[in-house]
mmCIF file of all heavy atoms in Angstrom:
data_model
loop_
_atom_site.group_PDB
_atom_site.id
_atom_site.type_symbol
_atom_site.label_atom_id
_atom_site.label_comp_id
_atom_site.label_asym_id
_atom_site.label_seq_id
_atom_site.Cartn_x
_atom_site.Cartn_y
_atom_site.Cartn_z
ATOM 1 N N HIS A 225 1.860 -9.726 8.358
ATOM 2 C CA HIS A 225 0.788 -10.291 7.587
ATOM 3 C C HIS A 225 1.262 -10.515 6.136
ATOM 4 O O HIS A 225 1.555 -9.597 5.486
ATOM 5 C CB HIS A 225 -0.411 -9.297 7.588
ATOM 6 C CG HIS A 225 -1.661 -9.926 7.072
ATOM 7 N ND1 HIS A 225 -2.653 -9.143 6.444
ATOM 8 C CD2 HIS A 225 -2.131 -11.176 7.030
ATOM 9 C CE1 HIS A 225 -3.618 -9.938 6.072
ATOM 10 N NE2 HIS A 225 -3.352 -11.160 6.400
ATOM 11 N N ILE A 226 1.316 -11.743 5.756
ATOM 12 C CA ILE A 226 1.764 -12.171 4.425
ATOM 13 C C ILE A 226 0.524 -12.528 3.596
ATOM 14 O O ILE A 226 -0.235 -13.401 4.015
ATOM 15 C CB ILE A 226 2.757 -13.319 4.443
ATOM 16 C CG1 ILE A 226 3.809 -13.099 5.551
ATOM 17 C CG2 ILE A 226 3.412 -13.536 3.091
ATOM 18 C CD1 ILE A 226 4.639 -11.879 5.320
ATOM 19 N N VAL A 227 0.383 -11.939 2.434
ATOM 20 C CA VAL A 227 -0.827 -12.159 1.635
ATOM 21 C C VAL A 227 -0.391 -12.502 0.202
ATOM 22 O O VAL A 227 0.422 -11.816 -0.418
ATOM 23 C CB VAL A 227 -1.728 -10.909 1.609
ATOM 24 C CG1 VAL A 227 -2.961 -11.196 0.718
ATOM 25 C CG2 VAL A 227 -2.168 -10.553 2.980
ATOM 26 N N LEU A 228 -1.005 -13.592 -0.309
ATOM 27 C CA LEU A 228 -0.886 -13.965 -1.714
ATOM 28 C C LEU A 228 -2.264 -13.750 -2.307
ATOM 29 O O LEU A 228 -3.296 -14.275 -1.814
ATOM 30 C CB LEU A 228 -0.465 -15.426 -1.831
ATOM 31 C CG LEU A 228 -0.485 -16.011 -3.284
ATOM 32 C CD1 LEU A 228 0.616 -15.395 -4.135
ATOM 33 C CD2 LEU A 228 -0.334 -17.538 -3.237
ATOM 34 N N GLN A 229 -2.324 -13.001 -3.432
ATOM 35 C CA GLN A 229 -3.648 -12.830 -4.114
ATOM 36 C C GLN A 229 -3.440 -13.219 -5.605
ATOM 37 O O GLN A 229 -2.463 -12.803 -6.224
ATOM 38 C CB GLN A 229 -4.187 -11.416 -3.988
ATOM 39 C CG GLN A 229 -3.298 -10.320 -4.565
ATOM 40 C CD GLN A 229 -3.952 -8.936 -4.326
ATOM 41 O OE1 GLN A 229 -3.776 -8.380 -3.310
ATOM 42 N NE2 GLN A 229 -4.695 -8.454 -5.301
ATOM 43 N N LEU A 230 -4.350 -14.032 -6.093
ATOM 44 C CA LEU A 230 -4.224 -14.615 -7.419
ATOM 45 C C LEU A 230 -5.465 -14.453 -8.208
ATOM 46 O O LEU A 230 -6.566 -14.492 -7.708
ATOM 47 C CB LEU A 230 -3.901 -16.100 -7.283
ATOM 48 C CG LEU A 230 -2.597 -16.545 -6.590
ATOM 49 C CD1 LEU A 230 -2.661 -18.049 -6.363
ATOM 50 C CD2 LEU A 230 -1.387 -16.120 -7.390
ATOM 51 N N LYS A 231 -5.311 -14.377 -9.521
ATOM 52 C CA LYS A 231 -6.426 -14.544 -10.457
ATOM 53 C C LYS A 231 -5.866 -15.095 -11.764
ATOM 54 O O LYS A 231 -4.655 -14.994 -12.040
ATOM 55 C CB LYS A 231 -7.137 -13.185 -10.727
ATOM 56 C CG LYS A 231 -6.307 -12.183 -11.491
ATOM 57 C CD LYS A 231 -7.181 -10.905 -11.737
ATOM 58 C CE LYS A 231 -6.364 -9.893 -12.481
ATOM 59 N NZ LYS A 231 -7.136 -8.660 -12.837
ATOM 60 N N ARG A 232 -6.728 -15.710 -12.548
ATOM 61 C CA ARG A 232 -6.295 -16.261 -13.868
ATOM 62 C C ARG A 232 -6.487 -15.192 -14.913
ATOM 63 O O ARG A 232 -7.567 -14.598 -15.027
ATOM 64 C CB ARG A 232 -6.979 -17.558 -14.189
ATOM 65 C CG ARG A 232 -6.473 -18.266 -15.452
ATOM 66 C CD ARG A 232 -6.814 -19.691 -15.440
ATOM 67 N NE ARG A 232 -6.177 -20.440 -14.409
ATOM 68 C CZ ARG A 232 -4.899 -20.864 -14.525
ATOM 69 N NH1 ARG A 232 -4.167 -20.583 -15.566
ATOM 70 N NH2 ARG A 232 -4.336 -21.551 -13.536
ATOM 71 N N GLU A 233 -5.478 -14.992 -15.761
ATOM 72 C CA GLU A 233 -5.539 -13.990 -16.768
ATOM 73 C C GLU A 233 -4.710 -14.422 -17.965
ATOM 74 O O GLU A 233 -3.533 -14.764 -17.844
ATOM 75 C CB GLU A 233 -4.936 -12.680 -16.211
ATOM 76 C CG GLU A 233 -5.190 -11.433 -17.036
ATOM 77 C CD GLU A 233 -4.771 -10.204 -16.305
ATOM 78 O OE1 GLU A 233 -3.538 -9.939 -16.292
ATOM 79 O OE2 GLU A 233 -5.633 -9.511 -15.734
ATOM 80 N N ALA A 234 -5.323 -14.503 -19.173
ATOM 81 C CA ALA A 234 -4.647 -14.970 -20.409
ATOM 82 C C ALA A 234 -3.965 -16.290 -20.203
ATOM 83 O O ALA A 234 -2.824 -16.490 -20.660
ATOM 84 C CB ALA A 234 -3.618 -13.866 -20.821
ATOM 85 N N GLY A 235 -4.633 -17.244 -19.560
ATOM 86 C CA GLY A 235 -4.148 -18.591 -19.419
ATOM 87 C C GLY A 235 -3.066 -18.779 -18.369
ATOM 88 O O GLY A 235 -2.572 -19.869 -18.223
ATOM 89 N N GLN A 236 -2.734 -17.700 -17.583
ATOM 90 C CA GLN A 236 -1.770 -17.830 -16.546
ATOM 91 C C GLN A 236 -2.296 -17.277 -15.246
ATOM 92 O O GLN A 236 -3.281 -16.476 -15.233
ATOM 93 C CB GLN A 236 -0.486 -16.992 -16.884
ATOM 94 C CG GLN A 236 0.482 -17.727 -17.791
ATOM 95 C CD GLN A 236 1.874 -17.102 -17.651
ATOM 96 O OE1 GLN A 236 1.985 -15.877 -17.481
ATOM 97 N NE2 GLN A 236 2.944 -17.890 -17.780
ATOM 98 N N LEU A 237 -1.687 -17.721 -14.118
ATOM 99 C CA LEU A 237 -1.999 -17.086 -12.875
ATOM 100 C C LEU A 237 -1.205 -15.808 -12.753
ATOM 101 O O LEU A 237 0.030 -15.777 -13.050
ATOM 102 C CB LEU A 237 -1.694 -18.039 -11.679
ATOM 103 C CG LEU A 237 -2.608 -19.216 -11.519
ATOM 104 C CD1 LEU A 237 -2.062 -20.137 -10.379
ATOM 105 C CD2 LEU A 237 -3.998 -18.824 -11.204
ATOM 106 N N THR A 238 -1.852 -14.768 -12.325
ATOM 107 C CA THR A 238 -1.112 -13.545 -12.021
ATOM 108 C C THR A 238 -1.598 -12.978 -10.719
ATOM 109 O O THR A 238 -2.754 -13.277 -10.255
ATOM 110 C CB THR A 238 -1.397 -12.495 -13.180
ATOM 111 O OG1 THR A 238 -0.586 -11.258 -12.937
ATOM 112 C CG2 THR A 238 -2.860 -12.095 -13.249
ATOM 113 N N GLY A 239 -0.718 -12.226 -10.065
ATOM 114 C CA GLY A 239 -1.123 -11.719 -8.772
ATOM 115 C C GLY A 239 0.003 -11.030 -8.016
ATOM 116 O O GLY A 239 0.994 -10.619 -8.677
ATOM 117 N N PHE A 240 -0.110 -10.960 -6.718
ATOM 118 C CA PHE A 240 0.843 -10.248 -5.896
ATOM 119 C C PHE A 240 1.097 -11.033 -4.599
ATOM 120 O O PHE A 240 0.226 -11.696 -4.069
ATOM 121 C CB PHE A 240 0.320 -8.859 -5.525
ATOM 122 C CG PHE A 240 0.040 -7.984 -6.717
ATOM 123 C CD1 PHE A 240 -1.202 -7.913 -7.239
ATOM 124 C CD2 PHE A 240 1.031 -7.195 -7.285
ATOM 125 C CE1 PHE A 240 -1.489 -7.105 -8.332
ATOM 126 C CE2 PHE A 240 0.776 -6.414 -8.406
ATOM 127 C CZ PHE A 240 -0.442 -6.367 -8.909
ATOM 128 N N LEU A 241 2.323 -10.851 -4.083
ATOM 129 C CA LEU A 241 2.691 -11.384 -2.808
ATOM 130 C C LEU A 241 3.157 -10.190 -1.966
ATOM 131 O O LEU A 241 4.033 -9.430 -2.415
ATOM 132 C CB LEU A 241 3.824 -12.388 -2.907
ATOM 133 C CG LEU A 241 4.269 -13.119 -1.688
ATOM 134 C CD1 LEU A 241 3.180 -14.042 -1.139
ATOM 135 C CD2 LEU A 241 5.460 -14.020 -2.012
ATOM 136 N N SER A 242 2.583 -9.993 -0.787
ATOM 137 C CA SER A 242 2.908 -8.798 0.014
ATOM 138 C C SER A 242 3.164 -9.130 1.473
ATOM 139 O O SER A 242 2.718 -10.128 1.946
ATOM 140 C CB SER A 242 1.745 -7.759 -0.126
ATOM 141 O OG SER A 242 0.573 -8.277 0.509
ATOM 142 N N ALA A 243 3.944 -8.256 2.100
ATOM 143 C CA ALA A 243 4.203 -8.400 3.527
ATOM 144 C C ALA A 243 4.004 -7.053 4.213
ATOM 145 O O ALA A 243 4.513 -6.025 3.724
ATOM 146 C CB ALA A 243 5.622 -8.875 3.733
ATOM 147 N N ILE A 244 3.236 -7.058 5.321
ATOM 148 C CA ILE A 244 2.909 -5.819 6.044
ATOM 149 C C ILE A 244 3.080 -6.128 7.560
ATOM 150 O O ILE A 244 2.531 -7.098 8.022
ATOM 151 C CB ILE A 244 1.464 -5.413 5.783
ATOM 152 C CG1 ILE A 244 1.220 -5.192 4.278
ATOM 153 C CG2 ILE A 244 1.123 -4.111 6.540
ATOM 154 C CD1 ILE A 244 -0.260 -4.906 3.923
ATOM 155 N N PRO A 245 3.827 -5.304 8.268
ATOM 156 C CA PRO A 245 3.948 -5.489 9.724
ATOM 157 C C PRO A 245 2.634 -5.239 10.409
ATOM 158 O O PRO A 245 1.904 -4.356 10.021
ATOM 159 C CB PRO A 245 5.024 -4.511 10.136
ATOM 160 C CG PRO A 245 4.968 -3.425 9.111
ATOM 161 C CD PRO A 245 4.588 -4.132 7.845
ATOM 162 N N LEU A 246 2.401 -5.974 11.494
ATOM 163 C CA LEU A 246 1.112 -5.861 12.168
ATOM 164 C C LEU A 246 1.045 -4.708 13.152
ATOM 165 O O LEU A 246 0.050 -4.098 13.351
ATOM 166 C CB LEU A 246 0.815 -7.188 12.958
ATOM 167 C CG LEU A 246 0.563 -8.420 12.130
ATOM 168 C CD1 LEU A 246 0.324 -9.581 13.036
ATOM 169 C CD2 LEU A 246 -0.639 -8.169 11.229
ATOM 170 N N ASP A 247 2.116 -4.408 13.804
ATOM 171 C CA ASP A 247 2.057 -3.411 14.814
ATOM 172 C C ASP A 247 3.038 -2.245 14.541
ATOM 173 O O ASP A 247 3.947 -1.990 15.327
ATOM 174 C CB ASP A 247 2.255 -4.075 16.194
ATOM 175 C CG ASP A 247 3.634 -3.957 16.686
ATOM 176 O OD1 ASP A 247 4.352 -3.411 15.946
ATOM 177 O OD2 ASP A 247 3.959 -4.419 17.779
ATOM 178 N N THR A 248 2.822 -1.547 13.445
ATOM 179 C CA THR A 248 3.654 -0.386 13.109
ATOM 180 C C THR A 248 2.805 0.888 13.260
ATOM 181 O O THR A 248 1.715 0.946 12.644
ATOM 182 C CB THR A 248 4.220 -0.446 11.676
ATOM 183 O OG1 THR A 248 5.051 -1.598 11.597
ATOM 184 C CG2 THR A 248 5.042 0.730 11.341
ATOM 185 N N ARG A 249 3.310 1.858 14.003
ATOM 186 C CA ARG A 249 2.573 3.141 14.156
ATOM 187 C C ARG A 249 2.776 3.964 12.875
ATOM 188 O O ARG A 249 3.866 4.235 12.480
ATOM 189 C CB ARG A 249 3.060 3.930 15.346
ATOM 190 C CG ARG A 249 2.277 5.169 15.665
ATOM 191 C CD ARG A 249 2.685 5.685 17.029
ATOM 192 N NE ARG A 249 4.057 5.886 17.137
ATOM 193 C CZ ARG A 249 4.663 7.043 16.814
ATOM 194 N NH1 ARG A 249 3.954 8.051 16.408
ATOM 195 N NH2 ARG A 249 5.981 7.235 16.981
ATOM 196 N N THR A 250 1.724 4.326 12.197
ATOM 197 C CA THR A 250 1.786 5.027 10.907
ATOM 198 C C THR A 250 1.991 6.539 11.192
ATOM 199 O O THR A 250 1.495 7.070 12.199
ATOM 200 C CB THR A 250 0.503 4.823 10.105
ATOM 201 O OG1 THR A 250 -0.572 5.404 10.759
ATOM 202 C CG2 THR A 250 0.295 3.353 9.801
ATOM 203 N N GLU A 251 2.719 7.169 10.307
ATOM 204 C CA GLU A 251 2.965 8.582 10.354
ATOM 205 C C GLU A 251 3.192 9.142 8.959
ATOM 206 O O GLU A 251 3.889 8.513 8.161
ATOM 207 C CB GLU A 251 4.222 8.839 11.233
ATOM 208 C CG GLU A 251 4.514 10.308 11.454
ATOM 209 C CD GLU A 251 5.746 10.524 12.310
ATOM 210 O OE1 GLU A 251 6.106 9.564 13.034
ATOM 211 O OE2 GLU A 251 6.310 11.608 12.241
ATOM 212 N N GLN A 252 2.613 10.281 8.659
ATOM 213 C CA GLN A 252 2.801 10.918 7.376
ATOM 214 C C GLN A 252 4.245 11.367 7.177
ATOM 215 O O GLN A 252 4.845 11.843 8.140
ATOM 216 C CB GLN A 252 1.838 12.072 7.202
ATOM 217 C CG GLN A 252 0.365 11.709 7.037
ATOM 218 C CD GLN A 252 -0.499 12.884 6.773
ATOM 219 O OE1 GLN A 252 -0.027 14.033 6.736
ATOM 220 N NE2 GLN A 252 -1.802 12.654 6.560
ATOM 221 N N SER A 253 4.754 11.254 5.945
ATOM 222 C CA SER A 253 6.077 11.725 5.660
ATOM 223 C C SER A 253 6.060 13.279 5.592
ATOM 224 O O SER A 253 4.982 13.916 5.508
ATOM 225 C CB SER A 253 6.508 11.184 4.284
ATOM 226 O OG SER A 253 5.719 11.786 3.251
ATOM 227 N N SER A 254 7.261 13.855 5.546
ATOM 228 C CA SER A 254 7.348 15.329 5.550
ATOM 229 C C SER A 254 6.790 15.829 4.209
ATOM 230 O O SER A 254 6.152 16.926 4.184
ATOM 231 C CB SER A 254 8.839 15.726 5.707
ATOM 232 O OG SER A 254 9.640 15.161 4.665
ATOM 233 N N ILE A 255 6.975 15.134 3.086
ATOM 234 C CA ILE A 255 6.433 15.572 1.768
ATOM 235 C C ILE A 255 4.922 15.627 1.901
ATOM 236 O O ILE A 255 4.270 16.547 1.458
ATOM 237 C CB ILE A 255 6.929 14.694 0.657
ATOM 238 C CG1 ILE A 255 8.384 14.937 0.407
ATOM 239 C CG2 ILE A 255 6.125 14.936 -0.610
ATOM 240 C CD1 ILE A 255 8.991 14.031 -0.681
ATOM 241 N N THR A 256 4.309 14.534 2.423
ATOM 242 C CA THR A 256 2.857 14.491 2.535
ATOM 243 C C THR A 256 2.325 15.608 3.420
ATOM 244 O O THR A 256 1.318 16.265 3.102
ATOM 245 C CB THR A 256 2.412 13.107 3.135
ATOM 246 O OG1 THR A 256 2.877 12.094 2.271
ATOM 247 C CG2 THR A 256 0.884 13.047 3.206
ATOM 248 N N LYS A 257 3.035 15.883 4.553
ATOM 249 C CA LYS A 257 2.600 16.963 5.433
ATOM 250 C C LYS A 257 2.715 18.334 4.777
ATOM 251 O O LYS A 257 1.864 19.201 4.988
ATOM 252 C CB LYS A 257 3.447 16.905 6.702
ATOM 253 C CG LYS A 257 3.145 15.700 7.611
ATOM 254 C CD LYS A 257 4.082 15.731 8.785
ATOM 255 C CE LYS A 257 3.775 14.573 9.719
ATOM 256 N NZ LYS A 257 4.746 14.601 10.901
ATOM 257 N N GLN A 258 3.791 18.532 4.005
ATOM 258 C CA GLN A 258 4.077 19.869 3.501
ATOM 259 C C GLN A 258 3.491 20.158 2.103
ATOM 260 O O GLN A 258 3.516 21.335 1.659
ATOM 261 C CB GLN A 258 5.626 20.044 3.377
ATOM 262 C CG GLN A 258 6.276 19.994 4.759
ATOM 263 C CD GLN A 258 7.788 19.911 4.688
ATOM 264 O OE1 GLN A 258 8.339 20.152 3.645
ATOM 265 N NE2 GLN A 258 8.416 19.587 5.792
ATOM 266 N N PHE A 259 2.900 19.141 1.489
ATOM 267 C CA PHE A 259 2.313 19.342 0.125
ATOM 268 C C PHE A 259 1.163 20.381 0.244
ATOM 269 O O PHE A 259 0.307 20.253 1.113
ATOM 270 C CB PHE A 259 1.806 18.054 -0.449
ATOM 271 C CG PHE A 259 1.468 18.162 -1.874
ATOM 272 C CD1 PHE A 259 2.442 18.094 -2.835
ATOM 273 C CD2 PHE A 259 0.147 18.403 -2.268
ATOM 274 C CE1 PHE A 259 2.150 18.204 -4.197
ATOM 275 C CE2 PHE A 259 -0.141 18.490 -3.633
ATOM 276 C CZ PHE A 259 0.862 18.424 -4.570
ATOM 277 N N PRO A 260 1.164 21.430 -0.600
ATOM 278 C CA PRO A 260 0.118 22.466 -0.487
ATOM 279 C C PRO A 260 -1.251 21.895 -0.674
ATOM 280 O O PRO A 260 -1.497 21.039 -1.485
ATOM 281 C CB PRO A 260 0.476 23.413 -1.641
ATOM 282 C CG PRO A 260 1.918 23.137 -1.952
ATOM 283 C CD PRO A 260 2.157 21.700 -1.671
ATOM 284 N N ARG A 261 -2.205 22.419 0.193
ATOM 285 C CA ARG A 261 -3.598 21.951 0.071
ATOM 286 C C ARG A 261 -4.493 23.172 0.268
ATOM 287 O O ARG A 261 -4.259 23.981 1.142
ATOM 288 C CB ARG A 261 -3.917 20.918 1.142
ATOM 289 C CG ARG A 261 -3.057 19.689 1.130
ATOM 290 C CD ARG A 261 -3.519 18.692 2.192
ATOM 291 N NE ARG A 261 -2.481 17.788 2.559
ATOM 292 C CZ ARG A 261 -2.602 16.746 3.430
ATOM 293 N NH1 ARG A 261 -3.808 16.576 4.018
ATOM 294 N NH2 ARG A 261 -1.595 15.975 3.741
ATOM 295 N N GLN A 262 -5.546 23.226 -0.507
ATOM 296 C CA GLN A 262 -6.577 24.231 -0.246
ATOM 297 C C GLN A 262 -7.366 23.851 0.973
ATOM 298 O O GLN A 262 -7.466 22.669 1.337
ATOM 299 C CB GLN A 262 -7.525 24.292 -1.482
ATOM 300 C CG GLN A 262 -6.830 24.850 -2.739
ATOM 301 C CD GLN A 262 -7.632 24.533 -4.028
ATOM 302 O OE1 GLN A 262 -7.496 23.447 -4.543
ATOM 303 N NE2 GLN A 262 -8.400 25.535 -4.477
ATOM 304 N N ASN A 263 -7.887 24.847 1.649
ATOM 305 C CA ASN A 263 -8.693 24.623 2.835
ATOM 306 C C ASN A 263 -9.776 23.580 2.573
ATOM 307 O O ASN A 263 -10.527 23.637 1.605
ATOM 308 C CB ASN A 263 -9.295 25.914 3.343
ATOM 309 C CG ASN A 263 -8.268 26.871 3.921
ATOM 310 O OD1 ASN A 263 -7.190 26.462 4.322
ATOM 311 N ND2 ASN A 263 -8.592 28.156 3.922
ATOM 312 N N GLY A 264 -9.854 22.593 3.495
ATOM 313 C CA GLY A 264 -10.884 21.571 3.376
ATOM 314 C C GLY A 264 -10.520 20.395 2.460
ATOM 315 O O GLY A 264 -11.324 19.454 2.333
#
């Protein structure tokens, strides 16, 4: 999925161009999993 998003700011167009795969199984990284968290 390729996305261009634009807005006008200070007389110029500014924005982002991004690419995201459609069928990727997501999984938390080891850092995210191991980061300390209080219960809840």
Side-chain angles (χ1 to χ4, degrees):
H225 189 209
I226 314 300
V227 179
L228 172 69
Q229 62 182 84
L230 299 170
K231 68 177 180 178
R232 186 158 293 281
E233 194 171 79
Q236 277 200 326
L237 288 176
T238 184
F240 300 94
L241 185 64
S242 64
I244 303 172
L246 293 178
D247 96 359
T248 299
R249 186 167 56 89
T250 63
E251 183 179 341
Q252 290 184 356
S253 69
S254 59
I255 288 177
T256 301
K257 290 178 180 178
Q258 296 168 14
F259 191 82
R261 304 183 201 181
Q262 293 163 279
N263 290 336

